[in-house]
Amino acid sequence: MENFYQEVEENISWLSAIGSDPTGGISRLLYDENWRIAQNGLKEKFEGIGLSTTFDEVGNLFGRLTGSKYPEETIMSGSHVDTVVNGGSLDGQFGIVAAYLAVKYLKETYGQPLRSLEVISMAEEEGSRFPYAFWGSKNIWGLAKRSDVENATDANGVPFVTAMRESGFDFRDEDNRFRNDIKAFVEIHIEQGNVLERIGKSVGVVNAIVGQKRYTITLSGEANHAGTTPMEYRRDAIYGYSKIVSQSIEKANAQGNPTVLTFGHVEVMPNTVNVVPGKVVFSMDCRHTDQGKLNEFTQILENDMKQIAEELGLAIDIDCWMDEKPVPMCEKIVKVLETSCQEQGLDYQLMHSGAGHDSQIFAQFVPTAMLFVPSIAGISHNPAEATETKDLVEGVKALVSSLYKLAYEE
Amino acid sequence: MENFYQEVEENISWLSAIGSDPTGGISRLLYDENWRIAQNGLKEKFEGIGLSTTFDEVGNLFGRLTGSKYPEETIMSGSHVDTVVNGGSLDGQFGIVAAYLAVKYLKETYGQPLRSLEVISMAEEEGSRFPYAFWGSKNIWGLAKRSDVENATDANGVPFVTAMRESGFDFRDEDNRFRNDIKAFVEIHIEQGNVLERIGKSVGVVNAIVGQKRYTITLSGEANHAGTTPMEYRRDAIYGYSKIVSQSIEKANAQGNPTVLTFGHVEVMPNTVNVVPGKVVFSMDCRHTDQGKLNEFTQILENDMKQIAEELGLAIDIDCWMDEKPVPMCEKIVKVLETSCQEQGLDYQLMHSGAGHDSQIFAQFVPTAMLFVPSIAGISHNPAEATETKDLVEGVKALVSSLYKLAYEE
């Protein structure tokens, strides 16, 4: 494994050049030219180490090393090949490179595994070109519907279907059976947060992906002249907003991990220095690894904000437009990853993922778990996205050991 | 005074038609065509009742009825002829119409006054066309400087100086002496707030115009991923904002009248549902009739917000970019207005003005006070700006009585 340092850097550099833009970022969007170059380049790489490759109908790429004893049992690893617009050099693609290097090392070192090993480069996860995310993994498990994207167009008006067909792909044939050979899926990904960095660990073993609820909340009061309207005659929407936000965040702070609560977006009307705001529309994003606790906490917040609105004479409309359930990872696979880290002498952290990943789709169907490597300053979806190479290497080593246990041991 | 009902309605209708737009609002901006038509129309009206008229250099219009015994002592009343863009039919122009009708009535009923009576239609107060307000009154008192407007242009790029000269006006000759004949200035105006309406009174006697301080405050924290950043690792700028706003408004509520505090404008970066806000820039507008108390209260708020920022690990920048002192009205003139209301059997309210008016410029040089009439729902600067005609008439009656006392009594 002494070559990993160089191999990780070389492969990340090679893949990052495909879709790189002058700002140092990468834009490689579903079915665009860079996406096609990357998938075909990966296909060659996979074949170069003796894997047999296939694309499925929608453009997910698989590189397979058939097992000797249990060829019908597949251990899969990989991630998504697409980026956000002006994204970084690790989100998604590091998971493909790491799986490729791990399988390459295992094959070179131990030869044919007992179970089949597959590297996957998934077509799409970010939802950056078209308004649809997890197109790759959702197609593998039959969760993507033709009607979801049939009328979708990108920012330039290019229809989803046109882009897909021009890339040589098409809708999944719904008569095809879904795969029942996958016995484990392991995805390695950057953390996209700052927990590992803060606690000084190189690897995280993910035991759950948070559920998230997103709200749009509208507070309606009365826009009034800032000078001529006494305080007691006001129905000030920003006052209601400020009470709701401060009180809710205090409660989230009191709850502590794994509760996170974010008021990221706000729009004020008329948003003028000398007018009391008559209307405030704002977002609330709440996440937790436990569905019951997530619902319980957001119910408390909803009750609080209704009470605040009533006290201040404001009308309130609460619209919960996203309610994604938490996804626990497979305990057995988590244990394999933990044991692998221990055997490699890695000081890992058992943790949850606060962001969504392809693993949350896989986990609904097959035993799944994830590894994290640290994100410097927690930055991602940004050209400044970075991880120390030594940490990337530790991640690859943990993955090697995990895949060995899953594919080479009885 | 039985004709006032009809005369008020007719004159407001006539003047409102000059600059009316299809939405029902009025746009009559400094030196534009409608402004010229209005000023010349008013000049004819004034001459029609036997007043001698003059324009000063910048376009303020005066209609004068010379006094018999003290012609060198002038009692002046009026307001501004310009409107905001898409404004209403009362702000400013009601004060001109009311002064015109009052002088007309006094002349018809009592003949020549002891002191001279003047109706003034001021050129500009709103700052709606060019970035300069109180152009009319500030020129009368030498507070407007050539350099203030020399490089100003309107939204269409028309230079201030060009617009002024094409209207037939020019900069004030600075060798001209300022007027020393004005013994009293009385302005009647709509309240632009909802106090009179709430307490059910037709007339307000204004004893002070508030001072106001305006701030731009910047809170800088760290933009982070809403899912992957635990609460304890955040430096959430919107959390700091919400604590500052809710706590400050609570303190303003506790202070009560005449303190008013408004957080009207806010800009959040990056303002995205799933990103913890890294930066918030917001306005604070605080007003009070007492300069000492205004400064004392804003100092408390500044200290509070610095402390909140420090507790949350946020950087804070506090920029106070407006600090206008409160302007007390002349006690003697206030007393005259009160006595006049009492004699007219009007149930008036002694009150302050939360908005700025030409009277705050006059009050620095000559005895000044104001009368208010109610604004329906407190609305102004809007086509929906309105006052019951009966209340307008009560205001004119109070003005008649006041001007009688000032100009006809020894």
Side-chain angles (χ1 to χ4, degrees):
Chain A
M1 301 198 236
E2 58 276 12
N3 292 332
F4 281 165
Y5 202 97
Q6 192 187 336
E7 286 188 305
V8 165
E9 289 199 335
E10 279 174 4
N11 280 281
I12 291 293
S13 292
W14 162 73
L15 197 44
S16 299
I18 306 171
S20 70
D21 62 42
T23 68
I26 306 174
S27 298
R28 190 167 61 224
L29 309 185
L30 178 63
Y31 301 137
D32 75 7
E33 194 190 345
N34 292 312
W35 180 92
R36 290 194 295 265
I37 293 170
Q39 284 294 65
N40 287 317
L42 285 164
K43 182 172 181 285
E44 278 181 38
K45 284 250 175 206
F46 294 173
E47 288 167 356
I49 61 166
L51 307 185
S52 59
T53 60
T54 49
F55 277 109
D56 68 7
E57 293 103 315
V58 301
N60 291 309
L61 169 66
F62 304 83
R64 183 175 174 90
L65 179 63
T66 303
S68 57
K69 188 165 176 192
Y70 310 109
E72 75 289 359
E73 296 186 8
T74 302
I75 307 302
M76 185 179 278
S77 183
S79 192
H80 60 93
V81 75
D82 68 315
T83 69
V84 296
V85 175
N86 198 226
S89 63
L90 296 168
D91 185 352
Q93 68 182 26
F94 170 63
I96 304 168
V97 166
Y100 159 74
L101 291 177
V103 170
K104 176 171 178 282
Y105 174 84
L106 288 168
K107 181 167 178 283
E108 285 168 358
T109 311
Y110 306 106
Q112 195 179 14
L114 299 184
R115 294 179 192 83
S116 298
L117 262 173
E118 267 188 43
V119 182
I120 182 168
S121 173
M122 272 176 281
E124 199 276 344
E125 187 255 14
E126 299 284 6
S128 297
R129 180 172 181 188
F130 300 99
Y132 192 87
F134 299 104
W135 177 246
S137 53
K138 283 192 168 177
N139 264 288
I140 294 170
W141 298 109
L143 298 182
K145 299 273 161 283
R146 180 185 281 254
S147 58
D148 292 339
V149 295
E150 222 161 26
N151 299 314
T153 55
D154 70 8
N156 298 318
V158 179
F160 186 100
V161 178
T162 305
M164 178 169 66
R165 293 193 175 139
E166 282 180 358
S167 281
F169 298 103
D170 210 325
F171 287 109
R172 187 175 187 285
D173 178 351
E174 291 180 12
D175 291 336
N176 276 355
R177 285 183 53 213
F178 301 116
R179 292 184 61 158
N180 56 12
D181 63 314
I182 303 174
K183 296 302 167 198
F185 178 68
V186 179
E187 181 180 15
I188 185 166
H189 202 281
I190 53 167
E191 181 197 340
Q192 303 180 270
N194 53 8
V195 172
L196 289 171
E197 182 181 72
R198 293 228 176 198
I199 60 179
K201 297 194 175 178
S202 295
V203 177
V205 173
V206 176
N207 55 10
I209 296 177
V210 293
Q212 49 184 301
K213 296 178 86 163
R214 290 192 187 167
Y215 293 79
T216 297
I217 299 151
T218 305
L219 282 172
S220 303
E222 194 171 63
N224 283 124
H225 191 294
T228 62
T229 316
M231 299 308 282
E232 71 263 34
Y233 293 164
R234 298 184 176 199
R235 296 196 296 125
D236 182 349
I238 207 75
Y239 183 34
Y241 168 77
S242 68
K243 279 176 83 94
I244 288 168
V245 172
S246 58
Q247 184 174 310
S248 301
I249 293 181
E250 265 150 37
K251 290 198 175 178
N253 288 342
Q255 292 255 332
N257 262 327
T259 302
V260 284
L261 181 68
T262 305
F263 294 88
H265 180 84
V266 62
E267 209 180 322
V268 175
M269 278 142 278
N271 210 25
T272 302
V273 173
N274 60 348
V275 180
V276 179
K279 194 172 171 184
V280 177
V281 182
F282 63 101
S283 68
M284 181 172 85
D285 174 314
C286 189
R287 310 191 191 191
H288 199 288
T289 49
D290 182 287
Q291 178 74 359
K293 287 180 179 157
L294 177 61
N295 286 336
E296 196 184 310
F297 184 59
T298 52
Q299 190 57 57
I300 290 170
L301 299 185
E302 287 188 44
N303 293 344
D304 283 354
M305 63 182 78
K306 281 178 196 161
Q307 197 188 321
I308 289 169
E310 199 184 325
E311 280 166 11
L312 303 184
L314 305 170
I316 188 165
D317 178 73
I318 302 173
D319 174 23
C320 180
W321 54 270
M322 181 195 282
D323 187 3
E324 283 183 5
K325 299 200 172 7
V327 181
M329 299 289 98
C330 170
E331 278 180 36
K332 192 176 139 275
I333 307 294
V334 167
K335 189 51 83 185
V336 169
L337 302 190
E338 288 192 272
T339 309
S340 301
C341 287
Q342 287 156 5
E343 288 177 8
Q344 290 288 328
L346 296 178
D347 189 18
Y348 70 94
Q349 174 68 33
L350 198 63
M351 65 191 295
H352 68 269
S353 171
H357 295 290
D358 289 310
S359 288
Q360 73 197 52
I361 308 298
F362 276 77
Q364 299 170 49
F365 302 93
V366 292
T368 298
M370 293 187 76
L371 291 165
F372 272 171
V373 290
S375 293
I376 293 174
I379 296 169
S380 78
H381 286 191
N382 186 301
E385 177 180 279
T387 301
E388 300 285 353
T389 304
K390 70 168 182 51
D391 291 331
L392 296 176
V393 169
E394 300 284 44
V396 177
K397 285 180 179 173
L399 184 63
V400 164
S401 179
S402 303
L403 296 181
Y404 179 85
K405 284 186 186 302
L406 293 164
Y408 286 84
E409 293 186 353
E410 275 290 344
Chain B
M1 298 196 242
E2 57 277 11
N3 292 333
F4 280 163
Y5 202 97
Q6 192 187 334
E7 286 187 304
V8 165
E9 289 199 335
E10 279 174 5
N11 280 281
I12 291 293
S13 293
W14 163 73
L15 198 44
S16 298
I18 306 171
S20 70
D21 62 41
T23 68
I26 306 174
S27 298
R28 191 167 61 224
L29 309 186
L30 179 62
Y31 301 136
D32 74 7
E33 194 190 346
N34 292 313
W35 180 93
R36 290 195 295 266
I37 293 170
Q39 284 294 64
N40 286 316
L42 285 165
K43 182 171 180 285
E44 278 181 37
K45 284 250 175 205
F46 295 173
E47 288 167 355
I49 61 166
L51 308 185
S52 58
T53 59
T54 48
F55 277 109
D56 69 6
E57 292 104 317
V58 302
N60 290 310
L61 170 67
F62 304 83
R64 182 174 174 89
L65 179 62
T66 303
S68 56
K69 189 167 178 190
Y70 310 109
E72 75 289 1
E73 295 184 8
T74 302
I75 307 302
M76 185 179 278
S77 183
S79 191
H80 59 94
V81 76
D82 68 315
T83 69
V84 296
V85 175
N86 199 225
S89 63
L90 296 168
D91 186 351
Q93 68 181 26
F94 170 62
I96 303 168
V97 166
Y100 159 75
L101 290 177
V103 171
K104 176 170 178 282
Y105 175 84
L106 288 168
K107 181 167 179 283
E108 286 168 357
T109 311
Y110 304 105
Q112 195 181 10
L114 299 184
R115 294 179 190 82
S116 298
L117 263 174
E118 267 189 45
V119 182
I120 182 167
S121 173
M122 272 176 280
E124 199 275 344
E125 187 254 15
E126 299 284 5
S128 297
R129 181 173 179 185
F130 300 98
Y132 190 87
F134 298 104
W135 176 247
S137 53
K138 283 191 168 176
N139 264 288
I140 294 170
W141 299 108
L143 299 180
K145 300 273 162 282
R146 181 186 281 253
S147 58
D148 292 339
V149 295
E150 224 162 23
N151 299 313
T153 55
D154 70 8
N156 298 319
V158 178
F160 185 99
V161 178
T162 305
M164 179 169 66
R165 292 192 177 141
E166 282 181 357
S167 282
F169 299 103
D170 211 324
F171 288 110
R172 188 176 186 286
D173 178 352
E174 291 181 10
D175 291 335
N176 276 354
R177 284 182 53 210
F178 301 117
R179 291 183 63 157
N180 56 12
D181 63 313
I182 302 174
K183 295 304 167 195
F185 178 67
V186 180
E187 181 180 14
I188 186 166
H189 203 280
I190 53 167
E191 181 196 340
Q192 302 180 272
N194 53 8
V195 172
L196 290 171
E197 183 182 72
R198 291 228 178 197
I199 60 179
K201 296 193 176 178
S202 294
V203 176
V205 173
V206 177
N207 55 10
I209 296 176
V210 293
Q212 49 186 303
K213 295 179 87 164
R214 290 190 187 169
Y215 294 79
T216 297
I217 298 150
T218 305
L219 283 171
S220 303
E222 195 171 62
N224 283 123
H225 192 295
T228 61
T229 315
M231 298 309 283
E232 72 263 34
Y233 293 164
R234 297 184 178 200
R235 296 196 296 126
D236 182 349
I238 207 74
Y239 183 34
Y241 168 77
S242 68
K243 279 176 83 93
I244 288 168
V245 172
S246 57
Q247 184 175 310
S248 302
I249 293 181
E250 266 150 36
K251 290 197 174 178
N253 287 342
Q255 292 256 332
N257 262 328
T259 304
V260 284
L261 182 68
T262 305
F263 293 88
H265 180 84
V266 62
E267 210 179 323
V268 175
M269 279 142 277
N271 209 25
T272 302
V273 174
N274 59 347
V275 180
V276 180
K279 193 170 171 186
V280 177
V281 182
F282 63 101
S283 69
M284 181 171 85
D285 173 315
C286 190
R287 310 190 191 191
H288 198 289
T289 49
D290 182 289
Q291 179 74 357
K293 288 180 178 156
L294 178 60
N295 286 336
E296 195 183 310
F297 184 58
T298 52
Q299 191 57 56
I300 290 170
L301 299 186
E302 287 188 44
N303 292 344
D304 283 354
M305 61 180 79
K306 282 178 196 159
Q307 196 187 322
I308 289 170
E310 198 184 327
E311 280 166 10
L312 303 185
L314 304 171
I316 187 166
D317 177 74
I318 302 173
D319 174 24
C320 179
W321 53 270
M322 181 195 282
D323 187 3
E324 284 183 3
K325 297 198 173 9
V327 182
M329 300 289 97
C330 170
E331 278 182 35
K332 190 177 140 271
I333 308 294
V334 167
K335 189 50 83 183
V336 169
L337 303 191
E338 286 192 274
T339 308
S340 300
C341 287
Q342 287 157 5
E343 288 177 8
Q344 290 288 329
L346 296 177
D347 189 18
Y348 71 94
Q349 176 68 32
L350 198 63
M351 65 191 295
H352 68 271
S353 171
H357 295 290
D358 288 310
S359 288
Q360 73 198 50
I361 308 298
F362 276 77
Q364 299 170 49
F365 301 92
V366 292
T368 299
M370 293 186 77
L371 291 165
F372 272 170
V373 289
S375 293
I376 294 173
I379 296 169
S380 78
H381 285 191
N382 186 300
E385 177 180 280
T387 301
E388 300 285 354
T389 303
K390 71 167 181 51
D391 291 330
L392 296 176
V393 169
E394 300 284 45
V396 177
K397 285 181 179 173
L399 184 63
V400 164
S401 180
S402 304
L403 295 181
Y404 179 84
K405 282 183 187 306
L406 293 165
Y408 285 83
E409 294 185 352
E410 274 290 342

